[in-house]
Amino acid sequence: METLTVDQYSLVYNMLSFCIASMVFSGLFFMLAKDRVAPQYRLSVVFSTIVVGIAAYHYFRIFGSWEAAYVLEGGNYVASGKPFNDAYRYMDWLLTVPLLVVELLLLCSLTGQKKEKLMFNTVVATVAMLIAGYIGETGGNYELMGHRGLWGFLSTIPFAYIVWVLWNEVTIAMADKEGNVKVLFRNIRLLLIFTWGYYPIVYMLPMFMDAGSGIVSIQVGYTIADVAAKAGYGCLIYAIAKAKSDEEGYAMA
Ligand SMILES: *C/C=C(C)/C=C/C=C(C)/C=C/C1=C(C)CCCC1(C)C
């Protein structure tokens, strides 16, 4: 672990703390608002709650690990000797990314075999993407033309497949929609591209900076991405479910 300045250390510390608050309270919102949408869309909102719940738990652990990994010494944060645990993030993604994929597919108008096939394929692809990513992330060196670059590239293949499937299915689902529902579908498609596309960029950042800044960029970058891709995405999922319920004349009992 590299020595960090007080500012660098605090930036990560504060972002992790902000993230915990976002996850916990967006989860509370999804729980309280679930019955405002029609029954057939509730599962998606339930999935959002579970996703931010799992993330909140892991961020508590990441936060604890971050605090334990450094000690303040002579005005800087130096390694305490306890390793910072990177695996929490990947364990979190292994659970939450498949759920995020499935909850969006549930809102698209998929049926029968096609639905099951796409869910299965995309879930398998997320596992492949994350295993390759983890191998690259924890391999030690930060070179583009080395271990990190190679495994990052391999991880990008299933990633491209997942994004392509989700983009297509949302496009099909919004084709016969109008007004609010259409706008919301378009927004979630954009949010998906920008947030998911941002993870591989964060992954590459340490290749272009010194080791201390690399650690900080990874932590801050993934944390911002997670807030958008989990809490923000959950809000849009809820908004789509609500707009579709309104359109179909659902009134809360
Ligand atoms: C809530 C967490 C989410 C939505 C995480 C998404 C993660 C990715 C899309 C990660 C993708 C990666 C690549 C495409 C290549 C480099 C390695 C990864 C794992 C960062």
Side-chain angles (χ1 to χ4, degrees), residues 19-241:
C19 179
I20 291 173
S22 311
M23 297 298 180
V24 170
F25 290 96
S26 59
L28 188 62
F29 169 76
F30 301 144
M31 252 165 74
L32 294 172
K34 178 185 79 111
D35 291 339
R36 297 167 57 93
V37 309
Q40 66 269 35
Y41 302 128
R42 280 183 201 157
L43 194 56
S44 286
V45 180
V46 169
F47 277 18
S48 296
T49 316
I50 291 173
V51 164
V52 293
I54 294 171
Y57 162 74
H58 281 109
Y59 270 95
F60 274 119
R61 306 303 303 251
I62 294 171
F63 192 76
S65 182
W66 183 255
E67 278 189 298
Y70 292 95
V71 281
L72 190 57
E73 217 176 83
N76 281 313
Y77 278 94
V78 300
S80 69
K82 281 196 186 160
F84 177 63
N85 189 347
D86 261 323
Y88 285 134
R89 223 176 248 294
Y90 276 82
M91 285 317 290
D92 177 81
W93 292 351
L94 207 51
L95 294 166
T96 53
V97 181
L99 288 168
L100 289 168
V101 169
V102 169
E103 73 178 68
L104 183 57
L105 288 175
L106 283 175
L107 277 190
C108 297
S109 323
L110 282 159
T111 47
Q113 275 210 321
K114 185 181 178 200
K115 177 169 163 183
E116 276 167 25
K117 195 175 137 239
L118 280 183
M119 282 185 183
F120 181 79
N121 290 352
T122 47
V123 168
V124 171
T126 58
V127 174
M129 171 182 91
L130 294 172
I131 290 176
Y134 183 71
I135 295 173
E137 191 93 66
T138 52
N141 84 50
Y142 279 161
E143 281 152 39
L144 179 61
M145 291 298 162
H147 180 88
R148 197 177 178 87
L150 173 68
W151 286 98
F153 172 74
L154 291 177
S155 172
T156 308
I157 301 167
F159 167 78
Y161 169 76
I162 303 161
V163 172
W164 176 76
V165 167
L166 293 178
W167 179 278
N168 272 340
E169 291 313 314
V170 171
T171 307
I172 295 169
M174 68 192 245
D176 61 345
K177 298 283 181 298
E178 273 162 38
N180 210 7
V181 177
K182 191 173 196 125
V183 172
L184 289 167
F185 264 128
R186 195 159 48 211
N187 290 348
I188 202 160
R189 211 174 54 171
L190 285 178
L191 182 74
L192 192 81
I193 292 293
F194 281 110
T195 57
W196 286 48
Y198 181 55
Y199 287 88
I201 296 176
V202 172
Y203 177 90
M204 287 172 65
L205 289 177
M207 297 171 180
F208 308 107
M209 46 185 74
D210 65 78
S213 311
I215 291 171
V216 173
S217 323
I218 284 276
Q219 296 311 322
V220 173
Y222 285 153
T223 303
I224 294 173
D226 277 354
V227 170
K230 295 183 169 67
Y233 182 91
C235 291
L236 269 179
I237 290 276
Y238 166 76
I240 293 175

